[in-house]
Amino acid sequence: MPISDKSPHLGILRSTTSQKTQDATVEQNITKSRRAAYSLMSAGMHGENGLDPSTAIQLFKTFVQPILTYGLEVILPTSKNLLKLETFQKKILKQILSVPISAPDPSVYIMSGILPIEAQIDQKSLNLFNNICNQNENHLEKKIARRQLIAKNQERKCHTLLSIGNTSDPTREAVRISVKLKVITDTYILQSHRSRYNLNETPTCKLCDTDIEDRSHFLLTCKILQCIRERYLNQIDEIISDFLNFRMRDIPTDDQLQIILDCTVLLSRYTNDNTVLQRIEDLSRQLIYALHVARYRTLDIKKR
């Protein structure tokens, strides 16, 4: 069977990395736009001895420009890809206006009334954001946008996850942060990860030998780690019940997992007290690190 590293989804070529997705989508958009422009040449969109410039510009806006910028407000191209798009657009516009390629770029944009590619993408991005803001509160896109705004406010401060707080041992706290960041980004190697890349590995947890060892199992349900887990979860539960008037154990498993990974996403709806959020963050960080140490010690003993 043929092996492919990219696949189209809603007109965007998704690949294995964000950069590859950008490169593939931009190349695809330029190729399609070039075909659309060539197909309009028979109708007179070719500069000299063709349609008048205003009509040709209108054809460009209607049939070429939407193809060229399709989906770019989602992937937000880098400067290298923006240059490719800009070069293509300027070449077409100068041909339509019958001016040499050496003509100043600002004059082309002023006469045609068309914005540079980067400005067009910014415009589309703002429209997308406005559409998301006007959605119902239960829509997934609205929830994601709210989470992103919580994670990065207008002052652009570091997230609570990266704050070491008032600890007396910043070196140890930095190690705990490192482990937690791996868990949050799903790069902490568990059996579910190993089994994807090694056919000789099983996704079953090697500690309890019962369930698949994924992030949720590691943090919430592995029986071997339960005694360690209880000590920290009880402290987190006390803080939540005292300040937020509900108990952690009464909420769904996904929400429990979210509080351990990043409490600001859920709890910032109930309190703006950064001290409370930082206390919960410190405990969840200690919890993950303690589970990490216990897991590796247990696996090491089993190997012996």
Side-chain angles (χ1 to χ4, degrees):
M1 294 180 65
I3 298 175
S4 176
D5 63 346
K6 53 183 177 287
S7 176
H9 175 67
L10 300 177
I12 298 174
L13 278 179
R14 297 290 182 183
S15 189
T16 53
T17 65
S18 175
Q19 187 60 53
K20 288 182 180 179
T21 296
Q22 284 188 29
D23 295 342
T25 302
V26 167
E27 289 296 336
Q28 174 184 251
N29 285 11
I30 291 175
T31 300
K32 288 182 177 179
S33 299
R34 186 178 289 113
R35 289 174 186 165
Y38 286 164
S39 68
L40 291 169
M41 285 185 176
S42 59
M45 198 188 83
H46 50 71
E48 294 183 10
N49 301 320
L51 293 171
D52 61 279
S54 61
T55 303
I57 291 293
Q58 192 59 44
L59 285 174
F60 176 83
K61 288 181 178 179
T62 305
F63 297 106
V64 181
Q65 190 180 47
I67 298 173
L68 186 62
T69 59
Y70 179 81
L72 300 184
E73 72 275 17
V74 177
I75 63 174
L76 298 177
T78 57
S79 56
K80 182 182 78 171
N81 285 317
L82 284 172
L83 181 60
K84 291 180 183 178
L85 294 162
E86 198 70 66
T87 301
F88 173 80
Q89 177 174 266
K90 287 187 294 187
K91 182 179 179 182
I92 295 291
L93 290 176
K94 288 177 180 180
Q95 184 177 347
I96 290 173
L97 296 174
S98 302
V99 296
I101 200 70
S102 58
D105 297 339
S107 64
V108 173
Y109 288 127
I110 290 170
M111 289 186 291
S112 65
I114 292 176
L115 293 172
I117 287 292
E118 188 170 4
Q120 293 179 42
I121 295 173
D122 289 343
Q123 212 172 40
K124 295 182 73 172
S125 299
L126 290 172
N127 286 335
L128 175 62
F129 181 68
N130 181 63
N131 292 337
I132 292 173
C133 290
N134 291 328
Q135 287 181 353
N136 188 282
E137 291 293 332
N138 295 325
H139 285 197
L140 179 61
E141 292 89 347
K142 185 72 171 282
K143 291 180 179 179
I144 294 173
R146 189 177 295 281
R147 185 248 177 268
Q148 291 300 102
L149 288 174
I150 290 171
K152 283 292 183 183
N153 58 23
Q154 292 181 352
E155 296 178 357
R156 313 301 284 179
K157 293 180 180 177
C158 284
H159 196 280
T160 310
L161 294 167
L162 303 182
S163 174
I164 62 172
N166 297 321
T167 179
S168 59
D169 191 350
T171 303
R172 173 176 288 185
E173 205 63 26
V175 175
R176 289 173 178 165
I177 291 173
S178 175
V179 174
K180 183 168 183 180
L181 290 177
K182 288 184 177 68
V183 174
I184 288 176
T185 55
D186 204 23
T187 53
Y188 184 84
I189 304 300
L190 299 166
Q191 282 304 118
S192 59
H193 298 91
R194 294 183 187 279
S195 62
R196 292 178 200 167
Y197 306 105
N198 189 343
L199 297 177
N200 297 321
E201 291 282 357
T202 172
T204 305
C205 177
K206 290 188 175 182
L207 299 179
C208 62
D209 293 320
T210 55
D211 296 321
I212 293 175
E213 188 188 38
D214 55 12
R215 190 165 56 179
S216 178
H217 175 81
F218 170 59
L219 295 177
L220 293 173
T221 59
C222 182
K223 296 177 181 177
I224 303 299
L225 302 173
Q226 186 63 23
C227 59
I228 296 172
R229 186 183 299 115
E230 282 292 327
R231 181 176 49 167
Y232 295 99
L233 289 183
N234 287 337
Q235 295 181 64
I236 294 174
D237 198 37
E238 286 179 11
I239 296 173
I240 291 176
S241 60
D242 289 344
F243 291 93
L244 307 179
N245 299 321
F246 68 88
R247 300 196 71 85
M248 183 173 174
R249 301 180 189 282
D250 296 334
I251 61 178
T253 302
D254 288 345
D255 288 345
Q256 293 182 32
L257 185 64
Q258 184 63 66
I259 288 175
I260 293 173
L261 294 175
D262 181 7
C263 64
T264 60
V265 176
L266 289 175
L267 302 187
S268 57
R269 302 176 189 173
Y270 303 95
T271 180
N272 292 322
D273 190 343
N274 288 330
T275 305
V276 175
L277 297 178
Q278 187 64 55
R279 286 175 62 189
I280 296 173
E281 169 58 30
D282 291 343
L283 285 169
S284 65
R285 192 183 297 162
Q286 293 171 27
L287 164 64
I288 291 176
Y289 184 73
L291 294 175
H292 158 73
V293 172
R295 177 177 181 270
Y296 273 89
R297 282 179 179 170
T298 307
L299 290 175
D300 188 50
I301 292 171
K302 283 192 171 184
K303 286 180 181 178
R304 292 178 186 176

